[in-house]
Amino acid sequence: MRKFLGKRAVASAVSLLLLIVMVFFLSRLTGDPTQLYLPVDASLEAREKFRELHGLNDPLMVQFGRYVVDLAQLDFGDSIRKARPALDVVLEAFKWTLALALITMALVTVAAIVVGSLAAFRVGGLFDRVATFFSLIGASAPDFWIAIVAIVLFSVNLGWLPTSGTGTIWHWILPISVLFIRPFGLILQVVRGAMITALSSAYVKTARAKGVRPRPVIFVHALRNGMLPVITVIGDQAAGMLNGAVVVETIFGFPGVGKLMIDSILQRDFAVVLAAIMVTAIAIFLMNILIDIAYAVLDPRIRY
Amino acid sequence: MRSVYARLLGGIAAFAVAGPVLAADTDIIIALNEELEVVEPCMASQSNIGRVILQNISETLTELDTSNGALKGRLAESWEAADADTWRFKLRSGVTFSDGSAFGADDVKASIERTLSDKLTCEIGAKFFGGMKITAEVVDDGTIDITSDPAQPILPLLMSTLTIVPAETPLEFTRTPVGTGPYVLSEWNAGQSIVLDRREGYWGEQPVVTKATYVFRSDDAVRAAMVGTGEADIVPLINQNDATNPATDFSYPNSETTYLRVDNTIAPLNDIRIRKAMNMAVDRDAFLGTLIPADAIKATHMVPPSTLGWNKDLAPLAFDVEGAKALVEEARAAGVPVDTEIEMVCRTGNFPNVTEVCEALQQMFADVGLNVKLTMMEVAEWIQVYSKPFAEDRGPRMVMAMHDNNRGDPVFSMFFKYACEGVQSGICDADLDKMIADATAATGDARGPAWSPVFAKVHNDIVADVFLFHMVGFSRVSERLDFTPTIATNSELQLSQIKLK
Amino acid sequence: MTTSVPRPKADAEPTAVRAVLSMLWADKFATVAVIFLAVVLFCAIFGPWLLDAVATKQNLRGRNAPPFDFTRGWLFWLGGDALGRPLLARIVVAAQNTMMVAAGAVAASMVIGSALGLIAGYSRGRASQIIPRLADVIMSFPSLLLAVIVLYMLEPSVTNIILVLAITRIPVYLRTTRAEVLEVRERMFVQAARVMGASDTRIIFRHILPIVMPTLLTIATLDFAFVMLAESSLSFLGIGIQAPEITWGLMVSQGRPYMTNAWWLSFWPGLAIVLTTLSLNLLSNWLRVALDPTQRWRLEMGARKNG
C-alpha cells in the first residue's frame, strides 16, 4: 500500500507539472489581457504601460521562469482583475464548490444506489419504468430550465425558499436539488445496468435458488460485484462538480469556482486560471487515488 | 427526543429569518449583475464599481447634472480659468474623510497624481486623461491650480470623473476605500455581498438610507424576480424582456449608442454609395418595440441627444429597399466589387438580443443585394477587430459596437471614433481631423456650435458608419422606495437620492 | 446478432432480421424509440435540404408567435422564434448539425477512451501507469479553456467543436473501461483462456469487451444529452457554434432570456434533446438485453406471447 501511494504521489506530481506547463503556454496563445482590461479608448501608450507593468512584454520563457520561481515559494501570482493574490481568490470560491459537491454527491450516491438496485430487481416492472423515465428526463433536460422553473415555482409563486444567494440553509436547498438531478440520472442508470448483470450472474442465481434470505444479502453481494464502474462514474461526476457548477453558480448567485474559472478564462486573468486549475486538479487527483484504493478494497484480486 | 427535534427546527427557522427581521426600513438591498472585482476609487468609471463607490464613498470636485448638462460643485465650491491652460479650484471647507482626517488641497493633488501614476493602472486615468499631462499645484489648503498640457477647455468636466482619496493612500489598489462621501464600506464578503453604512460627520445633508447591501446575481431572470420576493429593493439592470410591470420597472436612456463601424478603406465599403445603401437597407422602425426597446431613439450621432453640440437637423436615411438596390447597381456599373463578401462582426452578450439584431441586419443587407456574412465573437476576439492596429490582410468588414458617452461632451467620442489617429476609427479625412481638433479646443459658448458641423460631416457627407440606436436600460425599483432611474444610473447610483415613500 | 439455430445461408438473413424485429416488437418502448430516432435521422439527412429556406425567413413584426396556432400552417404549430422564424422548421434543420456534433463527439470519445482504457486496464507495464494519469490531466483541464484555445488557433467549425467535446469526454470512458477490465481480467474464464494460449487481442475482443460494452453504452447514451448541452453553454459564452448556424443546443441557449415570457423558444429544442436521449437509452437498454445470452429470454418470451 505504501509503495502504491508513493508511486502515485510521484506520478500525480508529474501530471500536475505537465498540466501547469500546458495551461501556462496554451492559455497565452489565446490573447493578451491588455485590451480587455483597459477601456477600449485607451491609447497605445497606455496599453504599452500596462504590458510593461505586468511583465507581458517579456519573452514567454522569461515569464514562465518567473512564474515557476514564485510558485516554488508558494506564490501563485496576483490576479490582474482583482489586484490580489490569485490563490486567495480561488480558495475563497473553492470552499463553496467543495461544500456543494460533497453534499450533493453524498445524496446522489445513496439515492442512485438504492433506486437503481430496486429498479434492477424487477427489470421492466412499474418501478423500473417510472424511475428510469423520470431520471432520464431529468438528466437530459437543460439545467437552467430546471433551475428557473424551480425558482419561479418555489420562490416566486409559493414563497417557500429564497430565490438565490447564500446565508441560511434554505439557500442551499434549490442549488443542491438542481445539481442533484443529472448525476443522479446517470449513476442510477449505471447502477441499474451493473445490478442487472450481477443479479443474473451464476453465483447470485445460485444464491437465490438456494433461497438465501433476506434479500439485502443478495443485494450486497451483487452490489459489491457491480460496484467498480459505479464508483468510477461517481468519481467522474464528482470531478465535474469540483470543476465548478457553472449554471447553478450563475443562476443562484453561488460564489463557486466554476464561474470564477469562466470569468478568468474569458478575461485572460492567467494567474487565477492557473491557481484554480491547480487547486481543482489536486482535489481531483486525490479523489482518483481514493477511487483506486476503493477498487482494491472492494475486489482484493485487483493489483496495480 | 421530540423536544430536541423541535429545538433544532426552531433554531433553523430563527437562523433562516434572522436577516429580514433585524433589517430596518431604511436599509436597502441592491442586486447588481456582477461582483465588483475591486473597490478601488480610481476604477470607479467602471459602471458596477461606480454604482457602489461614486458619490457614496468617494466624491469628486465637480459633478455633472445630467438633467440639464450643467456642471455643479461637489468638493469644489467654484472654479475659474486662471490662464489658457490652468484652472483654479476653490475647495469646500469643513469636509472630512471617513477616517476622520480633514480634506484639503494636498489630497486633491495626491489623488490626481495617484490616478495618473505609472505604478497603477487606473481606469479613470486611462479613459479620461489619456494623451495629456496634468500637474497640480497647491495654492493654499482650500485652493488648487490644475494645469493641463495641451490646454483642456473641459478640465472642470474632467474633474467630475476623478475620485478624491486621502493623500496618504498608498500606490496600490486599496480594499478599504476611504472617501469624503456620506457612506463608508463596512463589510465585503467575497462573492456574496458588500455593505455600505451611513456615516456620521458627512459635510452635506444626511441621506435617508442608513445601510445599503449590494448582492450579485448574474442571471437576468433571477435578479428581476428578487424585487417581487422582497430579496432586493433596487435592481439597476434588468433585461428588457422582464420589464413588464409599469409600477416597478423604469426605462432610462443609458447613454449607450449602437452602431456598425464600417472600415471605409476597403472595397466595396470605400464607396459612399454602398455605405448609403447599407444605411437605407436597415428598417430601424421594425427593430423598435421588438428586438430593441420601444423607447430607444434612432441614432444619427455617436453621442446621446443630451450631449453638447447635438445637431438636430440630422435624420437617418429613410428605409428604402428599392433606392438601396439602385445605389448598389450604380456602384456595380462604376466597377465597384459589390459582390465581395463583407464580414459583419458582432459580440455575444454585447446588449440584449444582440445575436438576433445581427441576424436581422444580415437579412436586411441581403435584401438589397449585399453579400454580408455574420460572425459572432467573444469579447477578447471582438476587441481585436474593433480596435487598432487592424490586421494588414483584412477583408471588407464592419463591427457592431456599443459606445457609452455619459459625460455630456463629444470629445470623449469623436476623436477615438473618427480621427485618423482614433483607435477605433474606420475613416481618415484631413478636413474632419481639423474640425475635430478645432472643436476640442473651443471654449465656452463657441464649443457647442463647433461640434455640430462635425456630426453633420460624419453623418451626411462621409456617411462613415451605420448608426443604429441610442439605447435604453431598465431598472426595477421596489414600490416602497421613491427613486426614479435616470441617464446617470448607468454609471452611478447615489444612495442619497433614494427616499422612502 | 444471429439466431441460435444454424440454418442454410440463403434464408438465414431474413430470419435473423425477423427475429430481431420481433424481439424489438416485444419491447414497445424500444419500438417507439427506434421510430423516433429514425425520424431524427431523416431530419438530419434531408432537413436542411427540404426546409432551409423557410427556417431562415425572418419576420420581425411576427416574433415570438405562440405555439398551437393552427391557423398559420403546420410550420408554426410549435410557434415562432425571436425573429419570427418557424420553430418546427428550425428544429428539423438544426438536427443535422446537432447530430453531427453529438454523434461525432460521443463516438470519438467512446472509441478513443475505451481503447485507452482497455490498454491501461489490461497491460501490466508502463501504459497502465501513464494512461490513467493522462485521464487525470484531461479531467482537470477546463473544457472552456480547451475550447477557447482550439477555437483561437483553428477556425470555429463543427469539426473543431467535435474535437473539443470529444477530448473532454475521453476520461469517463477511459476510466470506466479500465475499472471493469481490472476486475474482469482476474476472472476465471479469462485466466483459463490465457492458459489455453489465447492471444491478448482475442482475450480483449472476445472476452473482455463484451462485458464492458453495456456500461459504456449506458454512459454514451446519456452523454449524447451532455454533449448537446455542453455545446449549448459554449455557444452561450460566445465560443463554439454561433448564429447564423443552428443546433438544438444553440436554440436552447438563445431561448434562455425568454424563459419567463416565451417558454416555447427553448422548450421545443430542449424537448428534442430530451426525447433523443431517452430514445437512445431505451434502445441501449433493449440492446443490452438482446445481446446478453442470459437475458434474451425476456424478449423472446415476449415475442412469442405477442406472435
Side-chain angles (χ1 to χ4, degrees):
Chain A
M1 193 57 157
R2 187 171 295 169
K3 194 174 155 221
F4 163 75
L5 283 179
K7 258 163 83 181
R8 261 314 265 280
V10 173
S12 297
V14 173
S15 308
L16 192 63
L17 208 65
L18 176 72
L19 190 66
I20 295 169
V21 174
M22 272 169 56
V23 173
F24 187 92
F25 287 100
L26 288 175
S27 63
R28 272 160 178 80
L29 293 174
T30 65
D32 176 337
T34 309
Q35 281 178 313
L36 287 170
Y37 187 85
L38 293 173
V40 286
D41 299 333
S43 61
L44 296 172
E45 300 85 75
R47 290 188 212 165
E48 195 52 34
K49 191 183 107 182
F50 178 86
R51 287 200 192 95
E52 202 57 51
L53 195 64
H54 292 278
L56 296 166
N57 277 338
D58 300 332
L60 217 47
M61 283 314 291
V62 175
Q63 293 186 41
F64 184 67
R66 202 162 46 215
Y67 185 76
V68 171
V69 169
D70 287 347
L71 197 59
Q73 302 158 44
L74 288 181
D75 177 356
F76 287 66
D78 282 353
S79 159
I80 289 186
R81 308 289 305 201
K82 295 177 190 271
R84 61 203 193 92
L87 190 62
D88 294 2
V89 173
V90 171
L91 289 179
E92 264 164 20
F94 189 70
K95 64 173 193 236
W96 293 96
T97 293
L98 192 64
L100 206 55
L102 284 179
I103 298 172
T104 311
M105 284 316 292
L107 294 173
V108 166
T109 304
V110 173
I113 288 177
V114 170
V115 177
S117 308
L118 290 175
F121 218 75
R122 288 207 40 205
V123 179
L126 183 66
F127 183 81
D128 180 30
R129 290 286 189 200
V130 170
T132 299
F133 186 72
F134 283 103
S135 67
L136 283 176
I137 288 183
S140 52
D143 34 11
F144 74 87
W145 275 11
I146 302 169
I148 299 275
V149 169
I151 288 177
V152 168
L153 187 64
F154 294 106
S155 308
V156 177
N157 289 336
L158 295 171
W160 291 351
L161 294 166
T163 57
S164 53
T166 51
T168 69
I169 56 164
W170 304 116
H171 286 98
W172 291 72
I173 294 177
L174 284 181
I176 288 177
S177 312
V178 172
L179 209 50
F180 176 90
I181 291 172
R182 201 193 128 74
F184 174 71
L186 179 60
I187 296 168
L188 170 68
Q189 285 302 307
V190 176
V191 170
R192 177 183 174 275
M195 285 297 281
I196 292 175
T197 311
L199 285 173
S200 63
S201 72
Y203 78 94
V204 175
K205 273 189 178 156
T206 318
R208 267 173 129 172
K210 277 189 189 159
V212 171
R213 300 238 162 220
R215 274 186 181 177
V217 178
I218 299 177
F219 260 180
V220 170
H221 268 279
L223 201 55
R224 193 171 169 144
N225 233 30
M227 210 52 191
L228 263 52
V230 174
I231 291 183
T232 315
V233 175
I234 290 174
D236 177 70
Q237 294 296 307
M241 259 181 226
L242 290 173
N243 274 326
V246 180
V247 169
V248 164
E249 288 169 22
T250 312
I251 291 185
F252 293 104
F254 229 81
V257 84
K259 187 161 184 306
L260 177 71
M261 185 104 83
I262 285 202
D263 289 344
S264 323
I265 291 171
L266 293 180
Q267 293 162 343
R268 313 297 189 261
D269 196 344
F270 301 126
V272 178
V273 174
L274 275 158
I277 290 178
M278 266 187 269
V279 170
T280 52
I282 288 171
I284 290 171
F285 289 3
L286 282 176
M287 189 185 68
N288 285 345
I289 291 176
L290 286 180
I291 288 175
D292 273 353
I293 293 173
Y295 290 163
V297 170
L298 279 172
D299 192 336
R301 292 171 306 170
I302 289 179
R303 286 165 289 130
Y304 295 104
Chain B
M1 191 64 199
R2 202 186 155 83
S3 77
V4 171
Y5 209 69
R7 211 181 300 161
L8 195 68
L9 273 179
I12 290 169
F15 185 45
V17 295
V21 166
L22 292 176
D25 279 353
T26 49
D27 292 356
I28 63 166
I29 302 173
I30 299 169
L32 303 177
N33 61 330
E34 281 297 331
E35 182 178 13
L36 275 67
E37 288 170 330
V38 291
V39 285
E40 165 56 53
C42 83
M43 296 294 283
S45 53
Q46 277 186 11
S47 54
N48 59 342
I49 300 175
R51 284 193 192 103
V52 176
I53 289 188
L54 215 52
Q55 315 300 6
N56 293 329
I57 296 175
S58 295
E59 295 180 294
T60 50
L61 288 188
T62 60
E63 186 183 358
L64 182 67
D65 184 343
T66 50
S67 64
N68 56 13
L71 200 60
K72 56 186 185 184
R74 186 101 187 187
L75 289 175
E77 277 179 323
S78 65
W79 53 91
E80 58 184 1
D83 58 51
D85 46 15
T86 302
W87 289 81
R88 172 162 294 182
F89 291 82
K90 291 272 182 209
L91 305 181
R92 191 175 294 279
S93 59
V95 175
T96 55
F97 285 100
S98 56
D99 64 357
S101 61
F103 160 78
D106 51 336
D107 297 310
V108 177
K109 180 176 160 68
S111 299
I112 292 173
E113 285 164 0
R114 183 171 183 274
T115 305
L116 306 181
S117 163
D118 278 347
K119 307 277 186 321
L120 286 180
T121 310
C122 287
E123 179 163 307
I124 290 174
K127 189 167 179 172
F128 297 110
F129 295 89
M132 64 183 86
K133 197 170 153 39
I134 305 276
T135 43
E137 198 175 325
V138 175
V139 179
D140 59 54
D141 196 39
T143 315
I144 190 163
D145 282 350
I146 303 176
T147 307
S148 66
D149 174 29
Q152 291 298 328
I154 55 157
L155 189 75
L157 177 63
L158 287 175
M159 295 314 291
S160 73
T161 66
L162 195 137
T163 45
I164 303 299
V165 293
E168 316 68 78
T169 311
L171 263 183
E172 60 185 32
F173 276 16
T174 175
R175 287 176 61 74
T176 49
V178 173
T180 56
Y183 292 87
V184 60
L185 177 78
S186 51
E187 257 181 74
W188 182 5
N189 307 308
Q192 303 177 74
S193 64
I194 286 181
V195 180
L196 300 194
D197 275 314
R198 191 174 71 187
R199 74 180 177 100
E200 298 301 313
Y202 177 58
W203 60 267
E205 197 188 324
Q206 184 90 311
V208 175
V209 172
T210 47
K211 174 177 169 181
T213 304
Y214 297 82
V215 297
F216 321 111
R217 302 287 185 271
S218 322
D219 189 83
D220 288 342
V222 171
R223 208 161 58 242
M226 289 172 73
V227 171
T229 60
E231 289 169 86
D233 298 296
I234 300 181
V235 184
L237 267 184
I238 61 171
N239 191 299
Q240 63 185 77
N241 299 321
D242 296 317
T244 48
N245 180 357
T248 55
D249 302 345
F250 298 89
S251 79
Y252 58 93
N254 62 8
S255 66
E256 303 269 11
T257 303
T258 48
Y259 75 116
L260 283 168
R261 199 279 310 285
V262 179
D263 188 339
N264 283 216
T265 58
I266 292 177
L269 298 175
N270 58 0
D271 190 277
I272 190 168
R273 286 165 293 206
I274 297 298
R275 298 198 298 272
K276 273 190 176 154
M278 290 197 304
N279 269 286
M280 288 154 73
V282 178
D283 183 0
R284 293 176 175 80
D285 290 308
F287 283 112
L288 290 174
T290 57
L291 293 170
I292 300 283
D295 299 336
I297 299 169
K298 288 183 272 180
T300 48
H301 292 56
M302 182 56 73
V303 295
S306 54
T307 311
L308 188 75
W310 169 267
N311 191 331
K312 53 182 180 307
D313 300 332
L314 303 184
L317 285 172
F319 171 56
D320 177 2
V321 174
E322 292 312 314
K325 275 183 181 163
L327 279 172
V328 172
E329 287 315 311
E330 201 184 310
R332 187 197 303 277
V336 176
V338 295
D339 294 325
T340 315
E341 185 179 82
I342 302 166
E343 189 183 23
M344 172 165 66
V345 177
C346 298
R347 180 188 137 191
T348 42
N350 198 1
F351 52 87
N353 296 331
V354 60
T355 309
E356 288 87 347
V357 167
C358 288
E359 283 189 88
L361 284 171
Q362 182 195 27
Q363 181 73 50
M364 289 171 182
F365 293 137
D367 288 345
V368 302
L370 291 169
N371 177 10
V372 172
K373 172 180 164 251
L374 168 62
T375 311
M376 298 295 304
M377 289 184 179
E378 58 108 16
V379 55
E381 215 179 341
W382 169 87
I383 209 163
Q384 285 178 359
V385 297
Y386 182 45
S387 289
K388 287 177 182 171
F390 298 142
E392 284 297 328
D393 57 349
R394 65 192 187 276
R397 181 185 269 165
M398 41 193 176
V399 181
M400 165 77 81
M402 183 161 81
H403 172 67
D404 177 19
N405 184 335
N406 59 10
R407 290 291 107 193
D409 194 283
V411 72
F412 302 107
S413 306
M414 299 308 280
F415 178 81
F416 299 117
K417 309 298 177 197
Y418 293 109
C420 293
E421 298 289 308
V423 187
Q424 288 97 29
S425 172
I427 63 173
C428 183
D429 182 295
D431 288 348
L432 185 66
D433 263 18
K434 171 132 190 5
M435 290 166 76
I436 292 175
D438 290 348
T440 304
T443 55
D445 292 340
R447 194 170 172 88
W451 279 114
S452 289
V454 176
F455 297 125
K457 184 158 179 83
V458 167
H459 184 267
N460 291 349
D461 303 346
I462 303 180
V463 198
D465 292 329
V466 181
F467 288 117
L468 296 169
F469 302 98
H470 300 303
M471 306 291 275
V472 295
F474 292 88
S475 291
R476 181 168 285 183
V477 181
S478 159
E479 288 185 72
R480 77 184 181 96
L481 299 184
D482 178 14
F483 173 71
T484 310
T486 66
I487 190 165
T489 310
N490 206 35
S491 51
E492 63 179 38
L493 185 61
Q494 294 198 29
L495 297 170
S496 57
Q497 291 169 353
I498 299 169
K499 305 279 187 290
L500 297 175
K501 271 184 186 159
Chain C
M1 235 174 290
T2 52
T3 46
S4 49
V5 189
R7 286 184 183 232
K9 214 174 172 110
D11 64 355
E13 278 190 16
T15 319
V17 170
R18 195 177 304 152
V20 169
L21 285 180
S22 83
M23 279 206 289
L24 185 61
W25 184 245
D27 184 344
K28 295 293 177 296
F29 289 94
T31 314
V32 174
V34 167
I35 294 171
F36 180 80
L37 290 174
V39 172
V40 171
L41 203 63
F42 177 85
C43 293
I45 296 170
F46 300 106
W49 177 64
L50 289 172
L51 288 176
D52 202 27
V54 272
T56 51
K57 184 153 176 46
Q58 300 174 3
N59 172 15
L60 266 185
R61 290 176 173 91
R63 62 197 294 265
N64 294 350
F68 311 121
D69 175 1
F70 299 109
T71 59
R72 288 191 65 192
W74 63 275
L75 282 170
F76 281 90
W77 283 0
L78 300 185
D81 75 355
L83 286 170
R85 297 171 293 200
L87 279 170
L88 181 57
R90 288 179 72 71
I91 288 175
V92 169
V93 172
Q96 185 168 68
N97 273 340
T98 312
M99 285 304 124
M100 263 162 53
V101 170
V106 170
S109 55
M110 187 164 117
V111 169
I112 298 171
S114 49
L116 288 173
L118 281 171
I119 299 170
Y122 190 76
S123 106
R124 299 192 188 260
R126 194 164 285 169
S128 71
Q129 301 294 326
I130 294 175
I131 293 176
R133 301 292 77 72
L134 184 71
D136 284 358
V137 170
I138 300 178
M139 271 169 112
S140 317
F141 202 100
S143 52
L144 178 75
L145 182 59
L146 184 69
V148 172
I149 292 167
V150 168
L151 301 175
Y152 244 75
M153 299 199 298
L154 312 169
E155 279 289 295
S157 67
V158 169
T159 326
N160 289 333
I161 288 290
I162 294 177
L163 179 72
V164 169
L165 293 171
I167 292 177
T168 56
R169 296 313 294 163
I170 284 176
V172 64
Y173 298 103
L174 194 164
R175 293 173 47 79
T176 314
T177 311
R178 170 175 167 268
E180 291 230 48
V181 173
L182 282 177
E183 185 258 330
V184 172
R185 74 172 182 199
E186 306 295 345
R187 285 196 195 170
M188 203 66 84
F189 68 92
V190 176
Q191 302 290 1
R194 187 174 293 137
V195 171
M196 286 162 68
S199 71
D200 286 346
T201 337
R202 191 180 161 80
I203 292 175
I204 288 177
F205 284 99
R206 293 287 303 191
H207 299 290
I208 296 185
L209 199 56
I211 292 181
V212 179
M213 212 54 197
T215 313
L216 293 183
L217 277 179
T218 304
I219 298 172
T221 54
L222 273 171
D223 247 14
F224 241 77
F226 185 83
V227 165
M228 289 186 235
L229 296 174
E231 179 251 305
S232 151
S233 40
L234 286 182
S235 308
F236 190 73
L237 292 167
I239 301 147
I241 292 175
Q242 292 297 333
E245 289 284 322
I246 36 175
T247 64
W248 292 346
L250 185 60
M251 291 175 73
V252 166
S253 76
Q254 284 193 340
R256 182 163 166 179
Y258 298 94
M259 264 294 280
T260 44
N261 41 37
W263 53 267
W264 51 94
L265 263 64
S266 75
F267 180 78
W268 298 120
L271 187 67
I273 293 177
V274 170
L275 289 179
T276 306
T277 311
L278 204 56
S279 302
L280 283 168
N281 197 273
L282 289 171
L283 183 64
S284 88
N285 280 350
W286 173 82
L287 264 180
R288 168 194 290 258
V289 176
L291 289 180
D292 185 344
T294 63
Q295 299 199 37
R296 199 178 295 150
W297 56 270
R298 296 181 202 272
L299 294 171
E300 286 168 346
M301 220 167 68
R304 224 168 291 138
K305 211 161 50 194
N306 284 308

